[in-house]
C-alpha cells in the first residue's frame, strides 16, 4: 500500500506539474495568437505618421496638428486607451483642412492626420521602417500603441481599399492588351499602297470631317487597347507602395498581393511555357511578333461592304527557315461564318499571307522553332461598317 | 502567409512541370490581325483570245466591258496590258504564275471568243495568282452578237462572284424616268437601260407625267404612276410588248408609290381618299385591302425579302419617320429616331438593311440602317438626293441627285453601301426615279 501511495503522490505531483505547464503553454498560445493583429495595427500608425507628418500635411495642417499634440503625450505608453477617444475629435477637425489642400492628390492621406498626434514622435516611426520585415519584433512596441491604432486604422482603411481594388481591375484589362500593346504604335505606320485606307469616309461625312475630322477615326480606333502598357506598370507599382502605405491591411492586402503575385506568376509561366521548347532558343520578342503581324496586315484586303467582312477566320501554316510559307500547308483552322462568305474570308486571308511574304518574312532564324508553325487570326471586327 | 506561399509554390511547381510538356509539342506562333487595308484588288485581264478572224472585233469590246464592270465596283483595279511580263496567246489552263506575281496581279482572267455567223461564244478562266490555283472551273457563254454586252456582263458577274463570294449585279437593268426641258415644264418618259447606262429604251411617250417605276421580281413587268387622267393612278406595264393596264384601285382616289411583293403578284401602294393617305394591298383576284388606318400620311411601302413585313413612311409622330409593320397590317413600330425627316424606305435584297432618304439641316442624304433602326449610316449628302434602289445583290444603291437652281437637273448616281465609289450613271438626258431589276436569267 505504502508503495502504492508513493506512486500516487508522485503521479499527483506530476499531474500538477503538467497542469502548471499546460497553463503556461496555454498562455503562450493565447499570446501568440494575439500579437499578430496588434502588429498589423501598430505598423499602420507609424506609416500614417510618415505620410502625414513628413511632407505636405505639416505645413498646411499644422494647426490641427498642434491640437492633437496635447493628447499625444498620454498616448505614448500608459494612456493608450484614452488617447484614441481624444484623437477622434482631432480626426474630425482634420476634414476642414482638407478642402484647402484638396488640389493635391496626397490629400487621401489627410485621414492620417489622426495618427499624426501620436506620431509626433518622429524618431520612433523611422525605427519600424528600418525593421519593416521584422513584423514579429514590432508586436512588442505595438502593445503600447496598439489601442490608438485600432481606431485610427478603422478610419484610414477606407482610402486604402480603393487602391487595392483598382489594382485588380486594371490587371484584368491588361490581359488582352499585352498582345496588341506593342502593335498599336506599329499599326498606324504600316501604311500600304497610296490607295490603301483603313477607314471609310462617306460623302455624307466629308463636311463634318473638314471641320474636325474625328468621326471616322473614332469608329476605326474603337478597338485600340492603349491602357495595356500603363496597366502593367500600375499592377507593379501598387505592390511596392502598398506595403509601406497600408500596413493596417497587411493581412488582407498581403493576401491579395500574394494572389495577384501567384496569378502573375501563372500568367508568366503560361506565356513562357511555349517558348521553353527544346532547342528553340529565346522566345520571339513582342517586336518580332509585331513585325510579322504588320507584314501580313498590309496585304490583307478587306471588302468592308461584303458579308465576308463579318467572318473571323483562323489560318494555319508552316514556314521554312528562310521565312517562306509552305504553300501546301495553308489550311483553314476555324471560322465563325458560313457558306460563301466564310470561303471568301479564308481566300482573302490566304492571299494576304502569300502575297506579302516576298522573299520570306523577316523573322529571326535562331528562333525558328518558335515560328515554324504559325496561326493567324484574321478578325475584321474593327473594320466592319457601323 | 505560409499557406498562401505554399499554395503559390505548389501552383508554380505544377505549371513549371507542365511547361515542358507543352513545349514538346512546340505550340505555333499565334497572331491576331484586326486591321486590314481597303484597296481595290489588282487583276490582269489580257484581251480575250480571238479564236477566229471574225471574233477579233468582238474580243476588244467584250474585254473592255468586263473590265469596266469590275473596275466600276471600286473593288478591283485593272493592271494595264502594257505592264504584262507575258502575253496570253491561247486559251490554256497552264499559267506561269511568276509572270503575274511580278506585276502584283492577284487575279488573272483569261478568255477566248469565237464567232460563227451571228453566234458569239465567250469562255473564260479565273486564277488566284498568289495561291497558284484556278478559282473555280472555266465557264462558257453563247448567244447572238446582239447580246454581246450581256455575255460580257455574265463573265464579269462570275468573276465578281468567285472573288467576293457574293452574286454579281452587272447583268441587270434599270428602269427610270427620263426627263427633258425646264423644271416648270418638264417632259417625263419611262425608260430602261443596262445597269451601266447602255442600251436605253423608252417605254412611254412624253404625253403625261410618269413617276416612280418599279420592276417586278421577275423583271418582266413594271408598276408606275401616271398623271394621264389628271390625277395620279397606278399602271402595270409589260416590258415585253410595252402594253399597259390600270390596276383595280379605289375609285376617285389618288394612288401612288406602288411596289410588288416578293411573290410578284401582290401589289402594295398608297391611296389618298378623303384627305387621308393610307397603305393598301392588292392581291390577285381580290380588291384593295387597307393595311393602315391612321389620320396621318402613310406611304412608300416596301416589302421585306421574305414578304413577311412592310417598311413604310409615316408622319404620325409629327414628322416623316420610318415604321415597320406586319405584312397583314397591324400596329407598326418606329425604327428611325435620328434628327430630320426620313422617307422612301427600301428593304435590301439581303434583308439586313433598309435604305432611305433623309432630310436634315437643309441637306438630303441617302443612308442605310439595320432593320431595327440601329447602325444608321449616311452615305451621301447634297442639295437633293432621294429615292434609293438596291442592286440585285444588295451591295450598291442607285438614287436621284438633283442640282440646285432653276437650271438644276436630276441625274442618276450609284454608291457602294460602304459609302465609297460614288459614281454618276450616264444617261442620254436628265434622269430620276431609278428602280433596279433583278439579275437577268
Amino acid at each position: 500500500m505504502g508503495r502504492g501511495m508513493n506512486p500516487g503522490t508522485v503521479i499527483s505531483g506530476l499531474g500538477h506539474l503538467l497542469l502548471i505547464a499546460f497553463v503556461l503553454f496555454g498562455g503562450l498560445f493565447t499570446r501568440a495568437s494575439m500579437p499578430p493583429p496588434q502588429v498589423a495595427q501598430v505598423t499602420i500608425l507609424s506609416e500614417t505618421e510618415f505620410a502625414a507628418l513628413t511632407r505636405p500635411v505639416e505645413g498646411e495642417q499644422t494647426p490641427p496638428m498642434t491640437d492633437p499634440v496635447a493628447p499625444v503625450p498620454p498616448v505614448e505608453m500608459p494612456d493608450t486607451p484614452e488617447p484614441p477617444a481624444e484623437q477622434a475629435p482631432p480626426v474630425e477637425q482634420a476634414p476642414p483642412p482638407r478642402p484647402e489642400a484638396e488640389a493635391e492628390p496626397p490629400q487621401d492621406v489627410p485621414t492620417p492626420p489622426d495618427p499624426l498626434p501620436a506620431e509626433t514622435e518622429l524618431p520612433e516611426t523611422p525605427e519600424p521602417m528600418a525593421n519593416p520585415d521584422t513584423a514579429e519584433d514590432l508586436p512588442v512596441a505595438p502593445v503600447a500603441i496598439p489601442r490608438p491604432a485600432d481606431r485610427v486604422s478603422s478610419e484610414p482603411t477606407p482610402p486604402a481599399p480603393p487602391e487595392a481594388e483598382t489594382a485588380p481591375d486594371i490587371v484584368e484589362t491588361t490581359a488582352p492588351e499585352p498582345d496588341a500593346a506593342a502593335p498599336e504604335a506599329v499599326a498606324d505606320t504600316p501604311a500600304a499602297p497610296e490607295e490603301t485606307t483603313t477607314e471609310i469616309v462617306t460623302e455624307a461625312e466629308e463636311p463634318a470631317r473638314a471641320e474636325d475630322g474625328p468621326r471616322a477615326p473614332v469608329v476605326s480606333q474603337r478597338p485600340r487597347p492603349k491602357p495595356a502598357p500603363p496597366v502593367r506598370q500600375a499592377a507593379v507599382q501598387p505592390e511596392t507602395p502598398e506595403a509601406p502605405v497600408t500596413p493596417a491591411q497587411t493581412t488582407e492586402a498581403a493576401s491579395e498581393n500574394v494572389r495577384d503575385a501567384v496569378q502573375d506568376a501563372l500568367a508568366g509561366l503560361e506565356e513562357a511555357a511555349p517558348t521553353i521548347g527544346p532547342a528553340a532558343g529565346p522566345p520571339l520578342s513582342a517586336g518580332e511578333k509585331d513585325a510579322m503581324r504588320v507584314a501580313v496586315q498590309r496585304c490583307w484586303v478587306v471588302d468592308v461592304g461584303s458579308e465576308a467582312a463579318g467572318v473571323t477566320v483562323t489560318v494555319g501554316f508552316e514556314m521554312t527557315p528562310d521565312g517562306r510559307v509552305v504553300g501546301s500547308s495553308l489550311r483553314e483552322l476555324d471560322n465563325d461564318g458560313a457558306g460563301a462568305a466564310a470561303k471568301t474570308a479564308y481566300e482573302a486571308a490566304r492571299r494576304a499571307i502569300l502575297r506579302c511574304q516576298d522573299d520570306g518574312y523577316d523573322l529571326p532564324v535562331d528562333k525558328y522553332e518558335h515560328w515554324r508553325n504559325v496561326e493567324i487570326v484574321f478578325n475584321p471586327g474593327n473594320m466592319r461598317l457601323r | 502567409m505560409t499557406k498562401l506561399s505554399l499554395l503559390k509554390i505548389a501552383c508554380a511547381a505544377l505549371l513549371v512541370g507542365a511547361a515542358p510538356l507543352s513545349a514538346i509539342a512546340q505550340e505555333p506562333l499565334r497572331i491576331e490581325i484586326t486591321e486590314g487595308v481597303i484597296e481595290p484588288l489588282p487583276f490582269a485581264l489580257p484581251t480575250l483570245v480571238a479564236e477566229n478572224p471574225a471574233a477579233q472585233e468582238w474580243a476588244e469590246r467584250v474585254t473592255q466591258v468586263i473590265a469596266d464592270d469590275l473596275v466600276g465596283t471600286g473593288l478591283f483595279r485593272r493592271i494595264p496590258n502594257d505592264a504584262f511580263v507575258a502575253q496570253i496567246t491561247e486559251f490554256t489552263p497552264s499559267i506561269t504564275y511568276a509572270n503575274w506575281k511580278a506585276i502584283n496581279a492577284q487575279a488573272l482572267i483569261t478568255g477566248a471568243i469565237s464567232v460563227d455567223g451571228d453566234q458569239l461564244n465567250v469562255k473564260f478562266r479565273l486564277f488566284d495568282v498568289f495561291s497558284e490555283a484556278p478559282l473555280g472551273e472555266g465557264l462558257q457563254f453563247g448567244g447572238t452578237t446582239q447580246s454581246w454586252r450581256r455575255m460580257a456582263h455574265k463573265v464579269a458577274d462570275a468573276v465578281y462572284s468567285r472573288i467576293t463570294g457574293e452574286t454579281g449585279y452587272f447583268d441587270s437593268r434599270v428602269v427610270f424616268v427620263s426627263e427633258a426641258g425646264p423644271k416648270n415644264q418638264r417632259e417625263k418618259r419611262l425608260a430602261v437601260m443596262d445597269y451601266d447606262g447602255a442600251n436605253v429604251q423608252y417605254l412611254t411617250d412624253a404625253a403625261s407625267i410618269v413617276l416612280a417605276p418599279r420592276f417586278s421580281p421577275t423583271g418582266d413587268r413594271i408598276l408606275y404612276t401616271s398623271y394621264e387622267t389628271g390625277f395620279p393612278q397606278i399602271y402595270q406595264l409589260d416590258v415585253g410588248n410595252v402594253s399597259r393596264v390600270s390596276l383595280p384601285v379605289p375609285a376617285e382616289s389618288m394612288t401612288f408609290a406602288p411596289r410588288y411583293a416578293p411573290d410578284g403578284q401582290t401589289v402594295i401602294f398608297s391611296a389618298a381618299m378623303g384627305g387621308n393617305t393610307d397603305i393598301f394591298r392588292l392581291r390577285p383576284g381580290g380588291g384593295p385591302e387597307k393595311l393602315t388606318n391612321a389620320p396621318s400620311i402613310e406611304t412608300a411601302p416596301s416589302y421585306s425579302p421574305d414578304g413577311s413585313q412592310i417598311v413604310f413612311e409615316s408622319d404620325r409622330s409629327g414628322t416623316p419617320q420610318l415604321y415597320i409593320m406586319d405584312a397583314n397590317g397591324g400596329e407598326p413600330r418606329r425604327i428611325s429616331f435620328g434628327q430630320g425627316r426620313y422617307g422612301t424606305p427600301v428593304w435590301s435584297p439581303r434583308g439586313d438593311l433598309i435604305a432611305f432618304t433623309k432630310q436634315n439641316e437643309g441637306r438630303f442624304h441617302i443612308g442605310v440602317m439595320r432593320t431595327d433602326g440601329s447602325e444608321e449610316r449616311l452615305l451621301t449628302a447634297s442639295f437633293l438626293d432621294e429615292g434609293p434602289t438596291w442592286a440585285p445583290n444588295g451591295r450598291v444603291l442607285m438614287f436621284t441627285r438633283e442640282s440646285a437652281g432653276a437650271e438644276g437637273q436630276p441625274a442618276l448616281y450609284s454608291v457602294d453601301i460602304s459609302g465609297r465609289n460614288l459614281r454618276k450613271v450616264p444617261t442620254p438626258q436628265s434622269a430620276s426615279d431609278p428602280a433596279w431589276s433583278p439579275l437577268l436569267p
Side-chain angles (χ1 to χ4, degrees), chain B residues 372-406:
Chain B
D372 60 359
S374 64
E375 300 183 24
E376 175 182 322
R377 290 185 290 118
L378 300 182
L379 309 179
T380 72
S382 82
F383 167 72
L384 176 56
D385 284 351
E386 64 178 355
T389 179
W390 288 98
N393 66 351
R395 180 58 196 265
V396 178
L397 285 167
M398 192 178 290
F399 59 96
T400 304
R401 168 167 290 186
E402 185 164 344
S403 51

Side-chain angles (χ1 to χ4, degrees), chain A:
Chain A
M1 295 297 289
R3 291 179 180 178
M5 292 299 288
N6 289 335
T9 55
V10 171
I11 291 171
S12 65
L14 291 174
H16 286 292
L17 290 175
L18 290 173
L19 288 174
I20 293 170
F22 200 104
V23 170
L24 292 176
F25 282 110
L28 289 177
F29 283 118
T30 56
R31 286 180 182 179
S33 61
M34 294 299 288
Q38 295 176 347
V39 174
Q41 297 171 349
V42 172
T43 53
I44 296 170
L45 292 174
S46 63
E47 292 180 353
T48 51
E49 294 174 358
F50 276 84
L53 294 175
T54 53
R55 299 170 185 173
V57 180
E58 289 183 358
E60 298 174 355
Q61 300 178 344
T62 46
M65 295 293 288
T66 55
D67 296 341
V69 174
V72 174
V75 175
E76 290 179 351
M77 296 297 291
D79 301 338
T80 52
E82 296 178 358
E86 296 178 352
Q87 289 175 349
V91 173
E92 296 176 354
Q93 295 175 353
R98 291 182 186 176
E100 298 177 354
E102 284 178 357
E104 299 178 357
Q107 293 299 326
D108 295 341
V109 185
T111 50
D114 306 350
L116 293 178
E119 297 173 352
T120 51
E121 300 174 356
L122 296 176
E124 295 180 354
T125 56
E127 292 179 356
M129 293 300 288
N131 303 331
D133 297 341
T134 59
E136 295 178 354
D137 297 340
L138 295 175
V140 181
V143 177
I145 311 174
R147 302 304 179 189
D150 290 344
R151 294 187 178 183
V152 175
S153 63
S154 63
E155 295 177 355
T157 45
E163 295 179 354
E165 293 175 355
T166 53
D169 292 343
I170 297 172
V171 173
E172 292 178 358
T173 58
T174 55
E177 299 167 351
D179 295 340
E184 294 175 359
V186 185
D188 294 339
T189 58
E194 295 179 355
E195 54 201 349
T196 300
T197 178
T198 56
E199 64 186 58
I200 295 175
V201 180
T202 67
E203 186 188 16
E205 293 171 324
E206 282 178 356
R209 193 190 188 197
E211 299 173 359
D212 299 334
R215 287 187 179 180
V218 169
V219 174
S220 64
Q221 293 175 353
R222 189 182 182 183
R224 304 299 172 110
K226 283 190 176 180
V231 173
R232 283 189 175 180
Q233 295 175 354
V236 177
Q237 292 175 348
E239 293 181 355
T240 51
E242 280 179 359
V245 174
T246 61
Q249 300 175 341
T250 49
T251 54
E252 297 180 358
S255 62
E256 291 180 359
N257 290 336
V258 171
R259 291 175 186 172
D260 292 342
V262 172
Q263 291 178 351
D264 291 343
L266 297 178
L269 287 171
E270 288 177 353
E271 292 180 358
T275 63
I276 305 176
L284 284 177
S285 67
E288 290 164 341
K289 291 175 67 175
D290 224 33
M292 174 71 176
R293 182 183 62 77
V294 172
V296 178
Q297 172 179 292
R298 65 189 172 86
C299 281
W300 182 36
V301 179
V302 179
D303 177 7
V304 294
S306 70
E307 294 180 345
V311 178
T312 296
V313 62
T314 303
V315 181
F317 57 93
E318 294 178 16
M319 298 183 74
T320 61
D322 61 355
R324 298 187 66 83
V325 176
V326 178
S328 59
S329 68
L330 276 164
R331 62 202 181 280
E332 181 178 352
L333 300 177
D334 186 28
N335 76 69
D336 61 359
K343 181 173 179 287
T344 301
Y346 167 65
E347 289 174 347
R350 184 178 61 182
R351 274 197 293 273
I353 295 169
L354 291 172
R355 187 159 68 94
C356 271
Q357 63 176 331
D358 296 326
D359 294 329
Y361 288 107
D362 186 15
L363 290 165
V365 179
D366 59 329
K367 302 176 182 179
Y368 174 56
E369 288 302 324
H370 290 293
W371 49 266
R372 180 174 191 165
N373 293 296
V374 182
E375 290 180 8
I376 301 182
V377 180
F378 293 84
N379 181 0
N382 296 341
M383 302 183 71
R384 286 170 194 155
L385 296 175
R386 295 183 179 84

Side-chain angles (χ1 to χ4, degrees), chain B residues 217-229:
Chain B
T218 51
D220 58 346
R221 288 162 292 141
I222 294 172
L223 285 173
Y224 68 99
T225 303
S226 173
Y227 279 76
E228 183 176 331
T229 60

Side-chain angles (χ1 to χ4, degrees), chain B residues 307-319:
Chain B
S308 65
Q309 299 178 89
I310 296 172
V311 61
F312 64 97
E313 167 191 341
S314 171
D315 65 353
R316 62 184 62 194
S317 66
T319 59

